């Protein structure tokens, strides 16, 4: 089970409440060092594909590694929706980060219009087709309609799509693809975390809003441990 907390562009909690936490934190860049120094497994929220260059506002894998950062999110739907992230840039960021020695959580998921138009599997197939299996790559299935909306996918909906993702991965990448771990994300809370993570193809959670509350986040981490230590 892999649980990660995405603090987005929020400062995030004081770290005292997170001591001993068995989960990944993805703070804003300004708190990366503080989280690393506190002994937390720390990921960035994004990473560029070049090691350095004239790319204002971006950060590179070597820069993150120098800070002691262990990995990065890539392709979060908010990057895709608001900042022009495409499947191609997601692929470039993912490949460069993995090559540099970072772990990556790559996010995929359909919008409400895509789901209602029956396009969920096609969208996922397109998003997954640019990602090559790698031992340090984890996927996060985050239906866009469930992010920050309070509308969680039901455990059955999550399981159905996770199983479909695994089938697509097997088709695209053989057994290496089928072995990738897949987190669910989208309004995961202490109240629904256990049921979601009890699904056979759900290997953890990517938690946004609820990860800002240390007690709630710790409860989700505990639910993961209880499920599959
Ligand atoms: P949420 O966000 O838990 O607030 O819905 C999840 C995410 O965006 O990773």
């Amino acid at each position: 089970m892999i649980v990660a907390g995405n603090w987005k562009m929020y400062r995030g909690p004081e770290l005292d409440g997170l001591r001993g936490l068995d989960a990944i934190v993805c703070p804003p860049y300004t708190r990366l060092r503080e989280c690393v120094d506190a002994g937390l497994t720390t990921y960035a929220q994004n990473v560029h594909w070049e090691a350095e260059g004239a790319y204002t506002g971006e950060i590179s894998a070597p820069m993150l590694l120098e800070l002691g950062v262990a990995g990065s999110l890539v392709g979060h739907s908010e990057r895709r929706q608001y900042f022009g992230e495409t499947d191609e840039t997601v692929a470039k960021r993912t490949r460069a980060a993995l090559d540099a020695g970072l772990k990556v959580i790559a996010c995929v998921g359909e919008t409400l219009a895509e789901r209602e138009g029956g396009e969920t599997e096609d969208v996922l197939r397109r998003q997954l087709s640019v990602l090559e299996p790698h031992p340090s790559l984890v996927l996060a299935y985050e239906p866009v309609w469930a992010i920050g909306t309070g509308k969680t996918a039901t455990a059955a909906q999550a399981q159905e799509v996770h199983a479909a993702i695994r089938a697509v991965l097997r088709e695209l990448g053989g057994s290496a693809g089928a072995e990738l771990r897949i987190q669910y994300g989208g309004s995961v809370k202490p109240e629904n975390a256990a049921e979601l993570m009890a699904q056979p193809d759900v290997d953890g959670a990517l938690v946004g809003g609820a990860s800002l509350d240390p007690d709630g986040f710790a409860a989700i981490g505990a639910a993961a441990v209880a499920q599959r230590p």
Side-chain angles (χ1 to χ4, degrees), residues 4-6 8 73 76-78 107 140 142-143 146-151 184-189 206-211:
N6 173 13
K8 311 192 177 187
L73 300 180
H76 189 279
S77 66
E78 285 152 17
C107 308
E142 297 206 303
I147 295 178
T149 58
K151 269 192 226 156
Y184 169 78
S187 299
V188 176
K189 313 180 259 278
L206 179 53
V207 186
S211 72

Side-chain angles (χ1 to χ4, degrees), residues 49-168:
W49 53 88
E50 295 290 347
E52 62 176 6
Y55 299 103
T56 303
E58 293 284 333
I59 193 157
S60 75
M63 291 167 183
L64 294 171
L65 287 162
E66 190 184 329
L67 277 177
V69 169
S72 183
L73 300 180
V74 170
H76 189 279
S77 66
E78 285 152 17
R79 301 296 319 167
R80 295 179 192 256
Q81 264 185 301
Y82 308 132
F83 301 102
E85 196 78 66
T86 64
D87 294 329
E88 286 65 39
T89 55
V90 169
K92 285 165 83 168
R93 291 179 196 280
T94 301
R95 198 172 314 120
L98 291 168
D99 285 351
L102 285 173
K103 295 178 194 290
V104 170
I105 296 174
C107 308
V108 297
E110 81 287 1
T111 63
L112 186 58
E114 289 163 343
R115 172 166 280 255
E116 288 176 344
E119 297 163 36
T120 300
E121 198 167 323
D122 288 345
V123 169
L124 291 167
R125 183 182 302 276
R126 193 197 73 221
Q127 293 173 337
L128 294 166
S129 65
V130 299
L131 299 168
E132 286 150 34
H134 187 286
S136 294
L137 176 63
V138 168
L139 297 175
Y141 167 59
E142 297 206 303
V144 178
W145 47 271
I147 295 178
T149 58
K151 269 192 226 156
T152 323
T154 63
Q157 280 173 322
Q159 169 56 29
E160 187 187 348
V161 179
H162 280 232
I165 289 175
R166 237 182 258 296
V168 171

